[in-house]
Amino acid sequence: MKFASFCSKAALGVLLAAGAMPAFAQSTVTLTFEGLGNFEPVSQFYNGGTGGSGSGPGTNYGISFSPNSLALIDSDAGGTGNFGGEPSPDTVLFFTSGTAVMNVPAGFATGFSFYYSAISNPGTVVVYDGPNATGNVLATINLPTTPNNGAPDPTGTFSPFVPIGASFAGTARSVDFGGTVNQIAFDNITLGASIPGNPGSTTCASEGYTGTKLTWCQNICEKGYTGATLDMWIHRWINRYRDLPYCARQEAPK
């Protein structure tokens, strides 16, 4: 993930002296569901809380999931999942009733993407500008059936997982993951980009930030905040640390 930070090498001095704001690009957040238990409701795991069975707390991205949203672990890793080739082993998102709904009250923009496997029945993912799958539809992603050729994991029928995504205008606040229950799974759900993220990319945690610095870095780099909210966190960071987090150090093209 990259932010465009300055229009010139002298901009940092101007920024620190006058409180001017750099031109940041949209950040991204990728959810891998690692750390959750088999058949555990995702619940508040990505909202600074725990999953439905007490796993966590996970990273506080301000994201929560409806009760139907369950984690499933690959049978190769001790779970009961009949899948393979997931982009971030060994846990995915699925549902056994209704649909899975993800809520992001602070909102995110630009795009949405993920990997999925649906070998028998197609699915649909809808991005809304309101909470709980309400409001205006910003994007509809139709999910055709996927191959089940066993590659790259011959022990899982739902394999491989394939990437898909969409760009949209506006600010999204919820996503409805639909399809035939127990017949579709999702992984590496990415907010802020039309191409799903790589879980091995640089993060605030991998940069060694801890405590308040970690939380503030995540607010700037990984939560997808825009506008006044993003500006507020950037100002706080600069006023305390007199530099910029890793994602804001890339210079904009001249």
Side-chain angles (χ1 to χ4, degrees):
M1 74 187 67
K2 293 182 178 179
F3 278 87
S5 59
F6 304 113
C7 295
S8 71
K9 293 182 179 179
L12 179 58
V14 174
L15 178 66
L16 295 177
M21 297 307 302
F24 287 93
Q26 174 67 39
S27 182
T28 62
V29 170
T30 299
L31 310 181
T32 66
F33 305 100
E34 304 308 317
L36 287 157
N38 194 57
F39 268 82
E40 180 174 13
V42 180
S43 189
Q44 303 298 316
F45 185 79
Y46 287 114
N47 197 26
T50 63
S53 301
S55 295
T59 302
N60 186 5
Y61 292 130
I63 297 170
S64 61
F65 283 82
S66 65
N68 293 339
S69 311
L70 306 175
L72 186 65
I73 296 177
D74 193 336
S75 60
D76 292 341
T80 58
N82 181 24
F83 59 85
E86 62 276 16
S88 56
D90 298 293
T91 313
V92 300
L93 172 73
F94 86 128
F95 50 91
T96 58
S97 63
T99 62
V101 177
M102 180 184 73
N103 281 301
V104 190
F108 65 97
T110 303
F112 184 70
S113 53
F114 49 88
Y115 287 79
Y116 79 102
S117 179
I119 64 175
S120 300
N121 304 97
T124 304
V125 167
V126 184
V127 181
Y128 293 89
D129 68 359
N132 300 307
T134 64
N136 298 306
V137 172
L138 301 182
T140 299
I141 307 174
N142 294 313
L143 308 178
T145 56
T146 58
N148 63 327
N149 55 20
D153 184 349
T155 64
T157 303
F158 286 77
S159 177
F161 279 65
V162 299
I164 195 168
S167 299
F168 59 84
T171 299
R173 291 185 172 82
S174 65
V175 179
D176 187 16
F177 297 85
T180 303
V181 299
N182 202 26
Q183 291 293 309
I184 190 168
F186 306 89
D187 203 8
N188 283 38
I189 291 172
T190 301
L191 292 69
S194 59
I195 299 174
N198 177 354
S201 13
T202 302
T203 66
C204 296
S206 72
E207 285 291 286
Y209 299 145
T210 59
T212 300
K213 202 168 190 178
L214 173 62
T215 300
W216 289 13
C217 175
Q218 289 169 340
N219 288 340
I220 295 169
C221 301
E222 297 172 3
K223 288 191 176 180
Y225 291 151
T226 59
T229 301
L230 178 61
D231 290 351
M232 175 191 71
W233 286 112
I234 296 168
H235 275 303
R236 287 188 181 183
W237 179 284
I238 292 169
N239 289 338
R240 174 171 291 194
Y241 301 116
R242 314 303 293 179
D243 62 5
L244 290 166
Y246 78 92
C247 62
R249 293 176 186 159
Q250 177 71 28
E251 286 189 354
K254 295 181 180 179

